Amino acid sequence: GESVGLHLPTLSVQEGDNSIINCAYSNSASDYFIWYKQESGKGPQFIIDIRSNMDKRQGQRVTVLLNKTVKHLSLQIAATQPGDSAVYFCAENILGSARQLTFGSGTQLTVLP
Amino acid sequence: EAGVAQSPRYKIIEKRQSVAFWCNPISGHATLYWYQQILGQGPKLLIQFQNNGVVDDSQLPKDRFSAERLKGVDSTLKIQPAKLEDSAVYLCASSLVFGAGANVLTFGAGSRLTVL
């Protein structure tokens, strides 16, 4: 069935290093993707989104890359900080549809001092 | 602007008891969602409202779960009777217009339910 999955459940990086979180999706019709960050005890918080007509989108310290050929997207965090420690979810949808937003299972990012 | 408000933050009940969660979305947001997030998993949609009408409740266990949004603003999610597997965080989210599409969902902090 449809799924949005992550390659690694946990990721540990040194403070100051760059982080890369990967996500695979299976629905080739999906054309809109979002990354959410969820800190302990809080709800998911929007980080960045990308539409399928783009391959790359940059935000503040974050970059999302989309490879539609292999149905893969990644979230890159530059100069990772302790405050970046959280679970990161990718989610996908089809613009203009009533289809629900589908979340992956998440990657726990831990920033080491 | 104020965020999505949820209460209670924590609730512990025994199986077969009932529980209700409340959500107040961001002012002006027409669409409201209830998600269930089991520990270690991503959020799963339970029900989606557009104003006070249900858009999608296909994954809501209707034999025990119910939700309403009578005046198109606040919403309540009820579980009766609760089962052990209902232990989860119940997240409420809202968005400005219909459909998750390009309209970013804003989530509340969630209500953590523990069923003993």
Side-chain angles (χ1 to χ4, degrees):
Chain A
E2 296 176 357
S3 66
V4 179
L6 297 175
H7 292 304
L8 295 173
T10 62
L11 176 66
S12 295
V13 298
Q14 292 293 139
E15 182 178 354
D17 288 352
N18 297 334
S19 303
I20 300 176
I21 301 171
N22 296 303
C23 178
Y25 63 96
S26 59
N27 187 352
S28 57
S30 295
D31 58 5
Y32 180 62
F33 306 89
I34 308 175
W35 282 99
Y36 279 91
K37 171 186 179 183
Q38 187 172 25
E39 296 176 89
S40 181
K42 298 183 180 180
Q45 178 185 11
F46 172 87
I47 302 174
I48 191 168
D49 60 358
I50 188 169
R51 300 191 184 203
S52 60
N53 60 351
M54 303 173 68
D55 296 324
K56 178 180 179 180
R57 192 172 186 206
Q58 289 184 293
Q60 185 178 11
R61 283 202 306 118
V62 295
T63 300
V64 56
L65 300 178
L66 176 63
N67 186 329
K68 296 178 288 294
T69 302
V70 295
K71 291 184 285 188
H72 178 271
L73 66 158
S74 65
L75 177 70
Q76 300 179 0
I77 305 173
T80 312
Q81 302 171 0
D84 295 327
S85 292
V87 177
Y88 289 81
F89 294 97
C90 64
E92 52 92 18
N93 205 352
I94 301 173
L95 288 173
S97 78
R99 183 173 172 273
Q100 63 173 283
L101 193 64
T102 302
F103 284 83
S105 57
T107 292
Q108 172 71 58
L109 174 65
T110 302
V111 181
L112 305 173
Chain B
E1 63 180 3
V4 176
Q6 290 190 246
S7 67
R9 287 297 313 276
Y10 305 94
K11 189 73 176 179
I12 301 175
I13 62 173
E14 295 186 348
K15 59 183 179 182
R16 291 188 289 273
Q17 287 187 325
S18 63
V19 63
F21 302 112
W22 172 83
C23 172
N24 179 243
I26 291 174
S27 178
H29 279 197
T31 310
L32 184 147
Y33 312 78
W34 282 102
Y35 282 83
Q36 180 192 58
Q37 186 175 25
I38 294 173
L39 185 64
Q41 298 182 16
K44 183 188 81 172
L45 181 70
L46 292 175
I47 189 167
Q48 176 181 339
F49 292 94
Q50 173 71 6
N51 296 311
N52 61 349
V54 176
V55 173
D56 183 356
D57 64 356
S58 58
Q59 298 193 76
L60 187 73
K62 298 180 185 64
D63 57 335
R64 299 182 299 105
F65 286 65
S66 64
E68 59 183 13
R69 193 185 184 199
L70 293 176
K71 297 183 179 179
V73 181
D74 294 4
S75 177
T76 56
L77 175 70
K78 297 179 181 178
I79 308 174
Q80 182 180 13
K83 293 185 175 181
L84 296 177
E85 59 261 36
D86 298 333
S87 293
V89 174
Y90 291 86
L91 294 163
C92 180
S94 68
S95 66
L96 189 58
V97 295
F98 173 77
N103 301 303
V104 174
L105 273 64
T106 302
F107 285 86
S111 295
R112 180 178 295 276
L113 173 66
T114 301
V115 182
L116 303 175

